[in-house]
Structures are given as structure tokens and as C-alpha cells.
Amino acid sequence: MTPPRLQAARTRPCPGGCGRAVELHRYACVHCWIRLPAVLRAPIRENYRRDWDAHAAAVADGDTWFRDHPLPVDGDPAAAVPAQPTPASAPGPGQTALFDIPRRPVPTSDQL
């Protein structure tokens, strides 16, 4: 078990404003990372340990976005994640659901 003083030395507050502790090698907690738009996440991820200047600029853009888009009053970052589109419960006529397996045709009496 890591003593609290050492654990605090290896973490920092999440830039998303949720108050969670984030390890130093991560930019944000999972919920705040998902809340950040993909166009801002990509340069942070792609430039990490490759291009220090580009990574620092991408992190600054992410910090600005978090500052301009604060968490809701309840502070739950999971509630601030936009809902993902859900497929219709039943496919329409002539449509096949993504994972539906077509049924084998039942042979008629003359085919047996």
C-alpha cells in the first residue's frame, strides 16, 4: 500500500473540474476525457512523448475547452457526456440488424 503523501506526489487534480486525482502520465480522468471533444483529444494523444511543443499546445486547448465548458452544478462528469445515438429497437422492413444472423430457409415437402 502506498502512503498517502507518496500517492499525492504521483497525482494531480483533473483539469475537467471534477476534483478527481489523475496520475501524472494521464491528462484527465476517464469521464472528463470522454467529455472532451474528439478533435481536441486526438492531438493530445498523438503528440504525447513525440512532439513536446504540439502536445503542450493541445493540452492548453483542452484546458481552455474545460474552462469554457464547466461541469453541471452536481459535478458529475458522467452526466455531462453527450448521449450516444442508439439504434432503433427493431429493424424496419428490408433492413437487417447489425448482428442478426439470417435464418436458414425451411425446406418444403417437395425439396425433402
Side-chain angles (χ1 to χ4, degrees), residues 16 18 20 29-32 35 71-72 74-82:
C18 64
R20 289 189 173 102
C29 71
V30 173
H31 295 292
C32 291
R35 195 167 63 98
L71 282 172
D74 63 359
D76 183 19
V81 175

Side-chain angles (χ1 to χ4, degrees), residues 7-102:
Q7 187 171 357
R10 289 191 249 163
T11 61
R12 60 181 175 78
C14 178
C18 64
R20 289 189 173 102
V22 180
E23 296 173 352
L24 293 177
H25 66 278
R26 300 200 184 278
Y27 173 64
C29 71
V30 173
H31 295 292
C32 291
W33 178 254
I34 292 171
R35 195 167 63 98
L36 189 67
V39 296
L40 295 175
R41 286 191 310 242
I44 294 172
R45 184 179 49 248
E46 291 166 0
N47 293 313
Y48 180 65
R49 293 190 176 174
R50 291 188 181 107
D51 184 356
W52 190 88
D53 292 332
H55 179 72
V59 166
D61 291 342
D63 290 343
T64 302
W65 188 89
F66 280 130
R67 208 172 21 257
D68 294 343
H69 298 86
L71 282 172
V73 175
D74 63 359
D76 183 19
V81 175
Q84 299 297 320
T86 55
S89 59
Q95 294 179 338
T96 304
L98 183 60
F99 295 107
D100 278 355
I101 300 171

